[in-house]
């Protein structure tokens, strides 16, 4: 069909027929495929099941006092985990930017130049007038003129619309700007009328129309002073684009002559940035993120894909370019304990807290399973019992860790459990399990049914196609494939 179609209209109709045929075939193959009611019931119950828990949170306060490790203990701990404290690879790099924003100096743009742009854009930067516009379209001028002559105190515009079988949504365009009205003739007529007036017949694109104006909402235009700075920045940026191309050529000439980024930048009056040491994550040796790399500029990762002495291609950035050099590489190495003693001791303490809390949580669960009381156990560790009621599986409950919500749905009513990691653990008891009755006529179930039905239909069609391929066999015309994909072109 598509090959035989000539005009754009014929191709459109052919495309529509193709889509229609595809739908018919799919509908025929998947006819009668519906999700079983038992599936709908089970999924809905699963999604809507609610639980309530009483819980106790354990954190570093419940871990008790942890004495500092002995030198031998800390040394052994460090020896087993040296890789965690290894110094990353660092690179020294420099870069210089040429972008319209960097070069453009908005405060150098005169008020006269900015006001000229402001006057040209007044209609666009302000809020346009809006009017409540209604229109009734007639096939001929005679019919429209006759209808207009009947309008008056006893026969309104709305009465005329009802007579012609139109609903308000058929003729009321709503509160609309002039530019949003498709037919320019109707727009001109409507925006020339006062509120409550009806136009004379207007010859438009789609017939002869009568237009009526209801509420009028005046537009507003910001003052020049309120937008002057923004306009000046736009002008400066536009002027700078030409300068970018000029400086790009000069930078390339300097680089081609053997100048470094810093040397070339100084010669061209640009600012070069040098970073003495940065790792792949963009952090300096003190752990802080590098502050003088603009947001969105991927110069650090690019530097880690390059090497010292390599003439790198510039990075396109914000309508301009960034040139960079790798000046030095500090390889990754093992650190000594003395270099990272504070980090090692902090990590050792975190592990001790996590171990104690894991053990304490397990002990609390064991006592509760033997008949203990949650309030008593909470008091014994200096915590308190809190409650969370009627939450679903995917809920986000303030104060309740997501791991505890997940664990609660794996735990039976009146049973206890624990969840957590690191310095945050939760011991809980499931106090209620509620599974609401399923209303098969509800919108929720109907939407679920439609979603499952589409999935089952797609699966049915896929199985059908797979079966057909096995029965009749398939092959690929390699010559046609090469012609379509261009694989036979050098």
């Amino acid at each position: 069909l598509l090959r035989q179609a000539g005009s754009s209209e014929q191709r459109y109709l052919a495309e529509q027929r193709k889509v229609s045929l595809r739908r018919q075939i799919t509908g025929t193959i998947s006819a009668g495929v519906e999700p079983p009611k038992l599936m709908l019931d089970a999924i809905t119950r699963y999604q809507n099941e609610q639980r309530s828990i009483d819980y106790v949170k354990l954190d570093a306060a419940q871990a008790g006092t942890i004495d500092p490790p002995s030198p031998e203990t800390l040394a052994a701990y460090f020896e087993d985990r040296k890789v965690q404290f290894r110094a990353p690879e660092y690179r020294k790099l420099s870069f210089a930017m040429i972008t319209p924003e960097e070069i453009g100096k908005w405060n150098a743009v005169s008020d006269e130049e900015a006001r000229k742009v402001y006057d040209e854009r007044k209609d666009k930067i302000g809020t346009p007038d809006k009017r409540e516009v209604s229109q009734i379209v007639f096939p001929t001028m005679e019919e429209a003129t006759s209808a207009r002559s009947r309008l008056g105190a006893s026969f309104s515009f709305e009465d005329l619309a009802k007579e012609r079988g139109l609903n308000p949504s058929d003729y009321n365009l709503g509160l609309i700007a002039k530019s949003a009205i498709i037919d320019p003739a109707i727009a001109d007529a409507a925006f020339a009328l006062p509120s409550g007036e009806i136009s004379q017949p207007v010859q438009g694109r789609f017939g002869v129309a009568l237009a009526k104006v209801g509420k009028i909402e005046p537009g507003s235009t910001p003052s020049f002073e309120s937008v002057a700075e923004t306009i000046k920045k736009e002008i400066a940026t536009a002027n700078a684009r030409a300068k970018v191309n000029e400086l790009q050529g000069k930078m390339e000439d300097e680089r081609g002559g053997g100048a470094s980024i810093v040397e070339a930048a100084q010669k061209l009056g640009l600012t070069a940035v040098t970073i003495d040491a940065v790792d792949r994550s963009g952090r300096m040796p003190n752990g802080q993120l590098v502050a003088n790399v603009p947001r969105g500029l991927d110069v650090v990762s690019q530097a880690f894909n390059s090497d010292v002495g390599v003439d790198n291609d510039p990075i396109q950035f914000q309508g301009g370019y960034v040139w960079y050099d790798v000046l030095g590489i500090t390889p990754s190495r093992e650190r000594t304990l003395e270099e990272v003693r504070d980090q090692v001791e902090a990590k050792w303490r975190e592990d001790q807290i996590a171990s104690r809390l894991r053990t304490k949580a397990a002990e609390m669960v064991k006592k509760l399973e033997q008949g203990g009381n949650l309030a008593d156990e909470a008091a014994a560790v200096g915590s308190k019992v809190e409650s969370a009621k009627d939450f679903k599986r995917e809920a986000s409950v303030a104060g309740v860790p997501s791991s505890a919500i997940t664990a609660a749905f794996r735990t039976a009513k009146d049973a206890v459990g624990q969840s957590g990691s690191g310095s945050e653990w939760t011991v809980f008891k499931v106090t209620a399990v509620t599974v609401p009755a399923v209303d098969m006529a509800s919108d929720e179930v109907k939407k679920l049914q439609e979603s499952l039905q589409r999935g089952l239909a797609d699966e049915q069609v896929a199985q059908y196609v797979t079966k057909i391929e096995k029965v009749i066999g398939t092959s690929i015309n390699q010559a046609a494939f090469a012609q379509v994909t261009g694989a036979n072109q050098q």
Side-chain angles (χ1 to χ4, degrees):
L1 289 173
L2 288 173
R3 282 196 299 269
Q4 293 172 2
S7 67
S8 59
E9 291 184 4
Q10 290 175 326
R11 291 185 61 81
Y12 172 78
L13 292 174
E15 181 67 33
Q16 293 301 107
R17 290 183 64 188
K18 185 178 76 170
V19 171
S20 177
L21 285 169
R22 184 187 297 120
R23 288 175 178 169
Q24 291 178 38
I25 294 170
T26 302
T28 301
I29 296 172
S30 60
V33 176
E34 291 188 5
K37 289 185 177 180
L38 184 61
M39 177 187 289
L40 293 171
D41 182 85
I43 293 176
T44 304
R45 286 175 180 272
Y46 179 85
Q47 292 176 339
N48 292 334
E49 181 181 341
Q50 297 177 347
R51 301 213 169 192
S52 299
I53 60 172
D54 289 338
Y55 64 97
V56 176
K57 290 194 289 188
L58 307 177
D59 56 27
Q62 281 71 51
T65 302
I66 298 177
D67 295 326
S70 67
E72 295 76 18
T73 299
L74 193 64
Y77 180 86
F78 172 70
E79 193 65 30
D80 291 340
R81 296 164 179 81
K82 273 187 175 181
V83 67
Q84 296 181 25
F85 305 99
R86 186 180 180 89
E89 178 182 318
Y90 290 103
R91 297 210 168 189
K92 181 177 181 180
L93 62 101
S94 62
F95 67 89
M97 295 194 301
I98 299 177
T99 66
E101 189 172 343
E102 281 286 311
I103 297 172
K105 304 297 182 184
W106 69 269
N107 52 4
V109 178
S110 67
D111 285 344
E112 291 74 18
E113 189 177 0
R115 187 173 287 279
K116 181 180 179 182
V117 174
Y118 170 79
D119 291 336
E120 293 172 352
R121 297 185 186 175
K122 259 186 181 179
D123 296 338
K124 297 180 180 179
I125 63 177
T127 301
D129 293 344
K130 290 186 178 181
R131 298 187 171 205
E132 186 179 16
V133 179
S134 300
Q135 66 170 1
I136 300 176
V137 181
F138 299 84
T140 66
M141 181 63 75
E142 290 74 17
E143 285 189 50
T145 303
S146 174
R148 180 67 179 83
S149 66
R150 296 169 58 200
L151 296 177
S154 61
F155 189 71
S156 67
F157 189 89
E158 289 71 21
D159 293 332
L160 176 61
K162 290 179 182 177
E163 181 181 88
R164 298 182 67 81
L166 301 175
N167 295 316
S169 59
D170 298 327
Y171 64 86
N172 192 334
L173 304 181
L175 194 64
I176 192 170
K178 185 177 181 180
S179 60
I181 299 177
I182 297 175
D183 195 322
I186 304 299
D188 290 340
F191 275 77
L193 294 172
S195 177
E197 290 295 319
I198 301 171
S199 72
Q200 294 300 320
V202 179
Q203 180 64 59
R205 290 179 176 177
F206 310 105
V208 183
L210 297 179
K212 178 183 176 181
V213 174
K215 180 174 68 173
I216 295 177
E217 188 177 278
S220 63
T221 303
S223 66
F224 170 73
E225 290 72 20
S226 66
V227 296
E229 182 175 331
T230 300
I231 292 176
K232 287 182 178 181
K233 286 182 178 178
E234 291 177 2
I235 294 173
T237 300
N239 293 339
R241 290 196 180 99
K243 188 68 173 177
V244 166
N245 294 330
E246 177 187 342
L247 286 174
Q248 178 198 4
K250 291 182 178 179
M251 174 64 86
E252 292 293 355
D253 289 342
E254 293 295 328
R255 296 287 286 152
S260 68
I261 293 295
V262 174
E263 292 168 344
Q266 289 175 345
K267 187 169 183 179
L268 298 178
L270 304 173
T271 300
V273 176
T274 298
I275 303 172
D276 289 326
V278 62
D279 67 14
R280 289 180 183 274
S281 68
R283 296 183 182 276
M284 299 180 291
N286 63 4
Q288 299 296 314
L289 287 170
V290 174
N292 49 1
V293 176
R295 184 184 296 273
L297 177 57
D298 192 26
V299 68
V300 172
S301 63
Q302 294 282 358
F304 272 85
N305 290 327
S306 183
D307 209 336
V308 176
V310 174
D311 187 8
N312 304 295
D313 291 332
I315 304 170
Q316 293 190 8
F317 180 67
Q318 294 183 349
Y321 303 90
V322 178
W323 287 264
Y324 67 96
D325 278 337
V326 178
L327 305 178
I329 298 176
T330 303
S332 174
R333 65 176 179 83
E334 286 188 355
R335 289 174 170 143
T336 65
L337 177 56
E338 292 308 314
E339 290 181 89
V340 289
R341 180 176 294 275
D342 290 344
Q343 297 177 38
V344 176
E345 188 165 346
K347 186 65 173 66
W348 176 87
R349 179 179 171 80
E350 289 176 8
D351 289 354
Q352 293 298 305
I353 291 174
S355 177
R356 287 194 185 187
L357 292 180
R358 188 188 311 110
T359 301
K360 196 173 288 289
E363 290 173 350
M364 287 180 66
V365 168
K366 185 175 181 180
K367 290 178 181 179
L368 293 171
E369 290 175 340
Q370 293 174 349
N373 181 276
L374 188 60
D376 294 339
E377 296 302 322
V381 297
S383 188
K384 62 181 180 179
V385 177
E386 300 178 74
S387 298
K389 298 185 179 298
D390 301 328
F391 54 83
K392 296 182 180 180
R393 295 176 189 273
E394 303 301 324
S396 177
V397 183
V400 182
S402 59
S403 61
I405 292 176
T406 301
F409 278 89
R410 297 173 180 167
T411 307
K413 184 178 180 300
D414 296 326
V416 294
Q418 67 184 63
S419 68
S421 61
S423 60
E424 292 185 355
W425 283 78
T426 305
V427 176
F428 62 87
K429 179 179 181 180
V430 178
T431 58
V433 176
T434 305
V435 183
V438 178
D439 179 7
M440 287 296 181
S442 68
D443 290 340
E444 178 188 11
V445 175
K446 288 179 181 177
K447 289 179 181 178
L448 175 62
Q449 183 176 13
E450 291 172 1
S451 176
L452 291 174
Q453 193 164 6
R454 285 194 297 269
L456 292 171
D458 290 344
E459 179 64 23
Q460 184 87 345
V461 171
Q463 291 180 14
Y464 174 79
V465 172
T466 301
K467 180 67 174 178
I468 291 297
E469 288 176 343
K470 290 181 179 179
V471 171
I472 66 175
T474 58
S475 62
I476 297 176
N477 186 326
Q478 296 293 345
F481 179 80
Q483 182 179 359
V484 170
T485 61
N488 59 351
Q489 299 176 5
Q490 296 297 326

